[in-house]
Amino acid sequence: MTSVGTGYDLSNSVFSPDGRNFQVEYAAKAVENGATSVGLLCEDGVVLAVEKLVASKLLVKASPQNKGSGANTKIQTVGRHIGCACSGLVPDGRHLVNRAREESQQFKQLYKRDIPPVALADRMGQYVQAHTLYNSVRPFGVAAIFGGVDPETAEPHLYMLEPSGVYWGYRGAATGKGRQSAKAELEKLISSRDDNSPITTLEAVKELARIIYIAHEDNKEKEFEVEISWCSREHTQGKHTLVQGTMLEEALEYAKSKTSNAQDDSDDSDADSDDAMQD
Amino acid sequence: MFRNNYDGDTVTFSPTGRLFQVEYALEAIKQGSVTVGLRSSKYACLVALKRNADELSSYQKKIIKCDDHVGLSLAGLAPDARVLSNFVRQHCNYSKLVYNRELSMEKIGYLLSDKAQKNTQSYGGRPYGVGLLLVGYDKSGPHLIEFQPSGNILELYGAAIGARSQGSRTYLERVMDDFLPVEDATELIKQGVEALRQSLKDETLSVKNLSIAIVGEDLPFTVYDGEAVQPYL
Amino acid sequence: MNHDPYSWGRPSDETYGQYSDAIAHAPSFPKMNTQQPIVTGTSVISMKYNNGVIIAADHLGSYGSLLRFTDIERLFPVGKNTVVGISGDISDMQHIEALLEELETENNYDNSHADDEESLQPSYVFEYLATVMYQRRSKMNPLWNALIVAGVEDSKPFLKYVNLLGVTYSSPTLATGFGAHLAVPLLRRVVDRESDVEKTDMQTATDTILQAMKVLYYRDARSSRKFSMAIIDNDQGLVFNKELEVENMKWNFAKDIKGYGTQKV
């Protein structure tokens, strides 16, 4: 990488002579090494899914006894109607969501309505961007996918926010180590549909499980689990809920059956680091 | 000579997206003596090896009670552990006072995680230099949580942190299926002590350097020190 | 001592001359908080029975003696097995409603057992509300309400009261405001003490509450005919009826009451 080691990359909020903020780019590297997260906008809601790497046999695993996902949950809720899936430094993801919850609470106190996902994405964008402005803090080492159904309009929304503070609305979003193959799969999935057969949340739960399995293929030697959540107009009354029990089992069965004979066609050659902050 | 420019503070990412100061803080855990935690479907238990600075000094306390239903053991900087255990105690008291509710282990884990994360994102401080094993019994049963200075928390069936703890971890992995269904508190403690033994080098366990704690349904968090640990030697 | 509050906390005029607000940057008038409720809701009544609790409140918001709002719900479910009934100032009640919603939202955060083992219990909700009420009274800025928290916890009925003074108590029958005088004696005919709860079934308790609501509508001039009743049963969970009315009244005695209807002297 050019200009690495010239001294302009040692402090946050400093521009290099060619106008780059290296510390923000390095924060994005932390995201690229993190576990994969995906989100899909559907006809009737949104679905989020994350890859959970199982670092040790001693970890409490997802099982019926601990509510299907129970311990070591990764996807978080903001308000009641928005879900957040993060890739990168897990504790940074918690910091981000704690702030999102404050914003959601403050919005509700002022306007007596749930915060629209776009307003939340905007406020969080400002907060994350502020962490690129000062050398007394570092940028967030996470990318966050926010998805939810606006209770006022019943419209589903999906946004992805990056360490620079930039955010875009997406039909399908992917981030983390397996993002390239995940993106390719999302594009295939979305382009295979038209207005007459829009994808539903019920289908998307299975498809995202499959996509996490595909995204994990470059990382095969590591054990993993899939965590899925959804906001559906009909099925969850717009509330953000973890997918559990038989529904989760069916999605995982589907993912396994679709990927067991699929060949590995993606190429993601990120330098892997066994960073302790990466889960 | 190679010099790492990216490890001077917690607000600088390396070009590969790592935070070296935080990773160094994780190394501080390994400077501390070993402690083991494990849980069955009924109880959660801690076992720790205490150290003394020299022959004439007393042994450093390794296990701290936080509430009737929760306690922790530490490896690394003991003063940092005291800050964190006081923090847990305050929140347990607050929860009882305001909500008439025992703080769940899950909430305790996340409170610690959020507190530790703050120290990794702003200039002028340092990350905590201590790893913790928290055990507790709440409405959803017994729990064991490992806390790291990075702010990462993990819920586990068995864990070991501190010097040469890999031996204990390997042992716990091997006997996991044996201790998970254990219904007897004494039996679980015995498994814990055996796991601890796998990490010993020159030391021999005695009433002076062994510390044990157990918690479960109808069994408030209890620490055994001194003569009380004799039966488990 | 000078008993005029407006002269307290400032230098005496005899010693220092005429007091000047401008010098101290003090407001010319002492700070004042709520002195009285404005729009009010009347009694909440409740009682335990052998498998749960019943709580009821009418739909009226009175502006002094004016029956200003006729469709105000004053019973608020929290979680699956708790209902909070609120009397007193309606705007303060709406603030408490927002607090309860926040409480429920936050209980779902970072809580994988939020639906069962770690769900909100009546005693948690009550302790929280009692803390809020006491803190506000200690700031000399009370929420002008009396609350009853009703529910089922560990399969046992739960019923407790807290008011604007931060005072709390519990009893197998509870009522706020006018109901504490008029309804409680009627409820106690059926359940006088804790040991009577076991002998009282849901039907008996429902009849008793309906009877008490009727008497309250007869005699409380700040009450409405429409009311809500919530039953929190250990087996059936929450049964919330918002469409009730006082029935089978006899008003033929009214013509003999002086001051009722058009005045004919």
Side-chain angles (χ1 to χ4, degrees), chain B residues 14-118:
Chain B
S14 82
T16 52
R18 294 165 68 176
L19 291 167
F20 283 107
Q21 265 301 306
V22 174
E23 291 181 25
Y24 296 170
L26 298 175
E27 294 299 313
I29 301 171
K30 297 174 192 161
Q31 304 287 333
S33 64
V34 64
T35 174
V36 166
L38 67 166
R39 76 140 159 107
S40 69
S41 53
K42 285 246 166 73
Y43 299 96
C45 144
L46 293 170
V47 183
L49 175 72
K50 291 185 284 186
R51 267 188 198 153
N52 55 346
D54 58 66
E55 274 178 47
L56 294 177
S57 80
S58 63
Y59 287 79
Q60 173 68 46
K61 193 173 161 183
K62 289 281 280 181
I63 298 180
I64 303 170
K65 179 175 173 170
C66 298
D67 200 346
D68 280 340
H69 71 296
V70 57
L72 56 85
S73 67
L74 60 107
L77 302 183
D80 285 20
R82 279 178 39 76
V83 169
L84 293 170
S85 60
N86 278 334
F87 173 78
V88 174
R89 287 174 174 180
Q90 280 172 20
H91 277 275
C92 286
N93 282 336
Y94 181 84
S95 181
K96 257 189 212 161
L97 204 67
V98 176
Y99 300 105
N100 181 42
R101 184 178 195 175
E102 271 186 353
L103 204 53
S104 73
M105 288 304 288
E106 193 175 5
K107 281 263 156 75
I108 291 172
Y110 286 133
L111 283 167
L112 285 170
S113 167
D114 294 347
K115 189 173 170 64
Q117 195 278 340
K118 286 189 176 70

Side-chain angles (χ1 to χ4, degrees), chain C residues 49-187:
Chain C
Y49 65 93
N50 57 17
N51 202 30
V53 280
I54 308 186
I55 183 167
D58 73 14
H59 290 173
L60 185 64
S62 310
Y63 180 63
S65 60
L66 175 68
L67 311 183
R68 182 65 184 80
F69 304 101
T70 54
D71 56 354
I72 290 177
E73 180 58 60
R74 296 190 290 122
L75 299 182
F76 304 101
V78 184
K80 276 186 236 155
N81 47 2
T82 309
V83 171
V84 181
I86 308 181
S87 63
D89 190 273
I90 295 295
S91 64
D92 284 351
M93 177 191 84
Q94 289 171 338
H95 174 69
I96 294 169
E97 186 186 359
L99 292 181
L100 290 172
E101 210 175 299
E102 240 166 55
L103 187 73
E104 215 176 329
T105 303
E106 280 177 15
N107 189 250
N108 284 318
Y109 288 160
D110 307 325
N111 186 355
S112 24
H113 304 279
D115 293 334
D116 29 65
E117 292 101 322
E118 291 288 349
S119 59
L120 278 180
Q121 297 302 315
S123 73
Y124 306 168
V125 176
F126 177 79
E127 204 66 33
Y128 169 70
L129 288 171
T131 307
V132 170
M133 296 304 276
Y134 177 67
Q135 279 188 162
R136 291 294 296 257
R137 86 99 220 198
S138 297
K139 286 183 194 154
M140 293 289 228
N141 186 195
L143 294 169
W144 216 282
N145 303 98
L147 321 172
I148 289 174
V149 178
V152 173
E153 185 165 345
D154 298 330
S155 302
K156 286 193 282 291
F158 178 97
L159 200 56
K160 263 185 158 179
Y161 168 101
V162 59
N163 65 10
L164 71 164
L165 302 171
V167 170
T168 68
Y169 48 82
S170 179
S171 161
T173 59
L174 274 181
T176 71
F178 208 47
H181 303 93
L182 260 173
V184 165
L186 301 172
L187 304 179

Side-chain angles (χ1 to χ4, degrees), chain A residues 4 9-10 23 26-27 29-30 33 57-60 71-73 91-92 94-95 98 136-139 275-277, chain B residues 6 10-17 19 23 26 110 114 117 120-123 150-152 155-158 173:
Chain A
V4 171
D9 65 345
L10 293 175
Q23 276 296 308
Y26 296 171
K29 273 277 179 291
N33 296 329
K57 193 186 156 201
L58 290 165
L59 273 171
V60 174
N72 304 311
T73 312
D92 280 24
R94 285 196 50 81
H95 175 184
N98 284 337
S136 55
V137 291
R138 61 169 173 80
D275 187 343
M277 276 181 87
Chain B
Y6 303 99
T10 52
V11 293
T12 309
F13 277 108
S14 82
T16 52
L19 291 167
E23 291 181 25
L26 298 175
Y110 286 133
D114 294 347
Q117 195 278 340
T120 72
Q121 205 172 7
S122 56
Y123 189 80
S150 55
N152 278 108
E155 173 151 17
L156 302 136
Y157 296 117
E173 276 189 34

